Amino acid sequence: MAQAAAGKRNWFAIWVSVAVVVVVALVIGLVVWMNNVSSGPGAQPSSSNINTDTGAISFGSGPDVVDTYVDFMCPYCGQFEKTEGDTIKQLISENKITLNLHPVTILDRASQGTKFSSRSASAMFAIAEADPANAYAFMAAMYQNQPQESTPGLTDDQIVSIAKQAGVNVTSDLEQAITSGKYIKFAQSKGLPQGAQGTPTLLVNGKNVPVTYNPQTDIVANLKG
């Protein structure tokens, strides 16, 4: 009888151990899943002009490729747009370049907790998806209305207003995408290219070009055509 009782206790202990292992595995799986959800790219824009792997928004279809990495809170990016934007826009219209615009979010720390860089980048992706024809005009308008660093930045409603003034067709769905920060996680999952130190970062045909704020030196001189 003693042996039978001991056997039952052993089997009970074994099943308890198995149950504990299963519970632990389930908990670990849940934690991993929650971490993936919280740190994943979230909703991704779906449009032929947006590369979801690189986070690039494409304008034009010229043979030379220009990549710019910009942050809407970055004053140097504002200066870059002011000094080189017209040349870039002209090269796009003349079908000489393809511009890959990469909105990044490295200056969230400079907007008093409002995450302006992330919100504005998310809005850029939302507009590029919904109204690609007017996305470049929105980008330029954002720099024309650029807030200073270490301020809260623009509100979501102000971003919507700028989009409308830039000619963007702001439907109710697009407005919701902007004000809800639909693509914030996606924007935050992208970053600067290897070796880059900050924004603006400029690549012409894959070559990192130091920004001098002279478009003839920075861009035109590095084109193949």
Side-chain angles (χ1 to χ4, degrees), residues 82-137:
K82 183 178 180 180
T83 56
E84 308 208 25
D86 286 345
T87 298
I88 292 173
K89 187 175 180 181
Q90 181 178 351
L91 291 170
I92 293 171
S93 66
E94 293 175 352
N95 202 34
K96 292 182 178 179
I97 68 168
T98 296
L99 172 67
N100 290 325
L101 176 73
H102 302 256
V104 296
T105 63
I106 62 175
L107 288 177
D108 271 343
R109 56 179 169 74
S111 57
Q112 299 184 8
T114 71
K115 297 184 178 180
F116 172 69
S117 294
S118 290
R119 292 187 294 108
S120 54
S122 172
M124 185 73 229
F125 283 117
I127 290 170
E129 176 186 45
D131 188 5
N134 290 302
Y136 192 96

Side-chain angles (χ1 to χ4, degrees), residues 194-209:
Q194 187 174 5
Q197 300 298 315
T199 53
T201 291
L202 171 66
L203 279 69
V204 180
N205 293 316
K207 177 186 176 183
N208 196 321
V209 178

